[in-house]
Amino acid sequence: MRIPNLFNREGRLGRRGFLPYYVAFIAGFIFSAFVVSELCQAFPELFLEKVGEEVVLNFNAEAVFFMVSLPFYMALFFAGMRRCRDMDIAPFFSVFLAMPYVNLIFGLYLCLRTGTPGKNQYGYPPLN
């Protein structure tokens, strides 16, 4: 069994190939939130601060969340680029996958829309 290169930016990616990336991103995002939550409970003096009457996450918690979730975002971004190429639209549109709420709608769009049949400007259709 061949392990795919998660950070591949070349070629096209079909719907069945994109769906595992999208599901893994959602799971990775939940995992990242879980890691930060556990760290906040274990080390509240490092990750929480009191602002008035409220306790909020500080910069350390946000930085840890960013570092833990970055590989998931990058893999999804590159998969989105390949999926956009399969639909014969500019790979730039994969930037929408990094925007809150827009990423859910655009991700579903990428999962549901069929790709361009045959060869397009980005090459031959994927085998998946």
Short mmCIF file of all heavy atoms in Angstrom, two decimals, residues 2 11 18 32 35 38-39 42 44-45 52 58 60 64 80-81 104-105 114 120 124 128:
data_model
loop_
_atom_site.label_atom_id
_atom_site.label_comp_id
_atom_site.label_asym_id
_atom_site.label_seq_id
_atom_site.Cartn_x
_atom_site.Cartn_y
_atom_site.Cartn_z
N ARG A 2 0.61 2.15 -0.90
CA ARG A 2 1.39 3.37 -1.04
C ARG A 2 0.80 4.49 -0.19
O ARG A 2 -0.40 4.76 -0.24
CB ARG A 2 1.40 3.78 -2.51
CG ARG A 2 2.42 4.81 -2.83
CD ARG A 2 2.42 5.10 -4.34
NE ARG A 2 2.32 6.54 -4.45
CZ ARG A 2 1.31 7.21 -4.95
NH1 ARG A 2 0.27 6.58 -5.43
NH2 ARG A 2 1.32 8.51 -5.00
N GLY A 11 -0.67 18.25 -10.15
CA GLY A 11 -1.70 17.39 -10.71
C GLY A 11 -3.10 17.71 -10.24
O GLY A 11 -3.37 18.78 -9.70
N PHE A 18 -10.31 13.67 -2.59
CA PHE A 18 -10.35 14.86 -1.74
C PHE A 18 -11.07 14.61 -0.42
O PHE A 18 -10.71 15.16 0.62
CB PHE A 18 -11.02 16.02 -2.48
CG PHE A 18 -11.13 17.27 -1.67
CD1 PHE A 18 -10.02 18.06 -1.44
CD2 PHE A 18 -12.34 17.65 -1.12
CE1 PHE A 18 -10.10 19.21 -0.67
CE2 PHE A 18 -12.44 18.79 -0.35
CZ PHE A 18 -11.32 19.58 -0.13
N SER A 32 -6.67 19.37 17.51
CA SER A 32 -5.93 20.56 17.92
C SER A 32 -6.64 21.28 19.06
O SER A 32 -6.00 21.71 20.03
CB SER A 32 -5.76 21.53 16.74
OG SER A 32 -5.07 20.91 15.69
N VAL A 35 -6.10 19.26 22.23
CA VAL A 35 -4.76 19.44 22.79
C VAL A 35 -4.69 20.74 23.58
O VAL A 35 -4.18 20.78 24.71
CB VAL A 35 -3.69 19.41 21.67
CG1 VAL A 35 -2.35 19.91 22.17
CG2 VAL A 35 -3.55 18.02 21.10
N GLU A 38 -6.66 20.45 26.86
CA GLU A 38 -5.95 19.67 27.88
C GLU A 38 -4.77 20.46 28.46
O GLU A 38 -4.51 20.40 29.66
CB GLU A 38 -5.47 18.34 27.30
CG GLU A 38 -6.59 17.37 26.99
CD GLU A 38 -7.39 16.99 28.23
OE1 GLU A 38 -6.77 16.66 29.26
OE2 GLU A 38 -8.63 17.02 28.17
N LEU A 39 -4.08 21.18 27.61
CA LEU A 39 -2.97 21.99 28.10
C LEU A 39 -3.46 23.11 29.02
O LEU A 39 -2.81 23.44 30.01
CB LEU A 39 -2.17 22.58 26.94
CG LEU A 39 -1.27 21.60 26.19
CD1 LEU A 39 -0.70 22.26 24.95
CD2 LEU A 39 -0.17 21.09 27.09
N ALA A 42 -4.12 21.51 32.34
CA ALA A 42 -2.90 21.08 33.03
C ALA A 42 -2.04 22.26 33.47
O ALA A 42 -1.41 22.21 34.53
CB ALA A 42 -2.09 20.16 32.13
N PRO A 44 -2.88 26.02 33.65
CA PRO A 44 -3.70 27.23 33.47
C PRO A 44 -2.90 28.53 33.58
O PRO A 44 -3.23 29.51 32.92
CB PRO A 44 -4.75 27.12 34.58
CG PRO A 44 -4.18 26.18 35.57
CD PRO A 44 -3.27 25.26 34.82
N GLU A 45 -1.83 28.52 34.35
CA GLU A 45 -1.04 29.75 34.48
C GLU A 45 -0.31 30.11 33.19
O GLU A 45 0.04 31.27 32.97
CB GLU A 45 -0.04 29.64 35.65
CG GLU A 45 1.03 28.57 35.47
CD GLU A 45 0.57 27.15 35.80
OE1 GLU A 45 -0.54 26.95 36.28
OE2 GLU A 45 1.36 26.22 35.53
N GLY A 52 -10.87 41.15 33.53
CA GLY A 52 -12.07 41.53 34.27
C GLY A 52 -12.57 40.33 35.05
O GLY A 52 -11.86 39.76 35.86
N ASN A 58 -4.84 32.97 26.37
CA ASN A 58 -3.84 33.99 26.04
C ASN A 58 -3.11 33.61 24.75
O ASN A 58 -3.45 32.63 24.08
CB ASN A 58 -2.88 34.19 27.22
CG ASN A 58 -2.03 32.99 27.52
OD1 ASN A 58 -1.96 32.05 26.73
ND2 ASN A 58 -1.38 32.99 28.66
N ASN A 60 -0.24 32.27 24.25
CA ASN A 60 0.40 30.95 24.27
C ASN A 60 -0.55 29.87 23.76
O ASN A 60 -0.16 28.99 22.98
CB ASN A 60 0.89 30.60 25.67
CG ASN A 60 1.98 31.51 26.15
OD1 ASN A 60 2.65 32.16 25.35
ND2 ASN A 60 2.15 31.59 27.45
N VAL A 64 -0.05 27.62 20.36
CA VAL A 64 -0.02 26.15 20.36
C VAL A 64 -1.08 25.62 19.41
O VAL A 64 -0.82 24.69 18.63
CB VAL A 64 -0.22 25.60 21.79
CG1 VAL A 64 -0.48 24.10 21.77
CG2 VAL A 64 0.99 25.91 22.64
N GLY A 80 -6.86 21.02 -1.75
CA GLY A 80 -7.81 21.93 -2.37
C GLY A 80 -7.29 22.50 -3.67
O GLY A 80 -8.04 22.65 -4.64
N MET A 81 -5.99 22.79 -3.72
CA MET A 81 -5.39 23.27 -4.97
C MET A 81 -5.55 22.22 -6.07
O MET A 81 -5.94 22.54 -7.20
CB MET A 81 -3.90 23.58 -4.77
CG MET A 81 -3.61 24.83 -4.01
SD MET A 81 -1.85 25.08 -3.70
CE MET A 81 -1.18 25.15 -5.33
N LEU A 104 -16.38 25.55 5.24
CA LEU A 104 -17.36 24.46 5.26
C LEU A 104 -18.15 24.41 3.95
O LEU A 104 -18.33 23.34 3.37
CB LEU A 104 -18.31 24.65 6.44
CG LEU A 104 -17.67 24.60 7.82
CD1 LEU A 104 -18.69 24.95 8.88
CD2 LEU A 104 -17.06 23.25 8.08
N ILE A 105 -18.58 25.56 3.48
CA ILE A 105 -19.36 25.61 2.24
C ILE A 105 -18.48 25.24 1.05
O ILE A 105 -18.86 24.43 0.20
CB ILE A 105 -19.99 27.00 2.06
CG1 ILE A 105 -20.99 27.25 3.20
CG2 ILE A 105 -20.66 27.14 0.70
CD1 ILE A 105 -21.41 28.68 3.34
N THR A 114 -18.43 17.56 -9.71
CA THR A 114 -17.62 16.68 -10.54
C THR A 114 -16.49 17.46 -11.20
O THR A 114 -16.60 18.66 -11.43
CB THR A 114 -18.47 16.00 -11.64
OG1 THR A 114 -19.05 17.02 -12.44
CG2 THR A 114 -19.55 15.13 -11.03
N ASN A 120 -7.64 18.76 -19.14
CA ASN A 120 -7.85 20.20 -19.08
C ASN A 120 -6.49 20.86 -19.04
O ASN A 120 -5.47 20.22 -19.23
CB ASN A 120 -8.76 20.60 -17.91
CG ASN A 120 -8.14 20.36 -16.55
OD1 ASN A 120 -6.95 20.11 -16.42
ND2 ASN A 120 -8.96 20.43 -15.52
N TYR A 124 -4.24 15.44 -17.23
CA TYR A 124 -5.23 14.39 -17.37
C TYR A 124 -5.97 14.18 -16.06
O TYR A 124 -5.47 14.50 -14.99
CB TYR A 124 -4.56 13.09 -17.82
CG TYR A 124 -4.11 13.16 -19.26
CD1 TYR A 124 -2.78 13.45 -19.57
CD2 TYR A 124 -5.00 12.94 -20.29
CE1 TYR A 124 -2.36 13.54 -20.88
CE2 TYR A 124 -4.59 13.03 -21.60
CZ TYR A 124 -3.27 13.32 -21.90
OH TYR A 124 -2.86 13.40 -23.20
N ASN A 128 -8.33 8.32 -9.30
CA ASN A 128 -9.20 8.01 -8.15
C ASN A 128 -10.60 8.51 -8.35
O ASN A 128 -10.90 9.43 -9.03
CB ASN A 128 -8.62 8.58 -6.86
CG ASN A 128 -8.43 10.07 -6.91
OD1 ASN A 128 -8.66 10.73 -7.91
ND2 ASN A 128 -7.98 10.60 -5.79
#
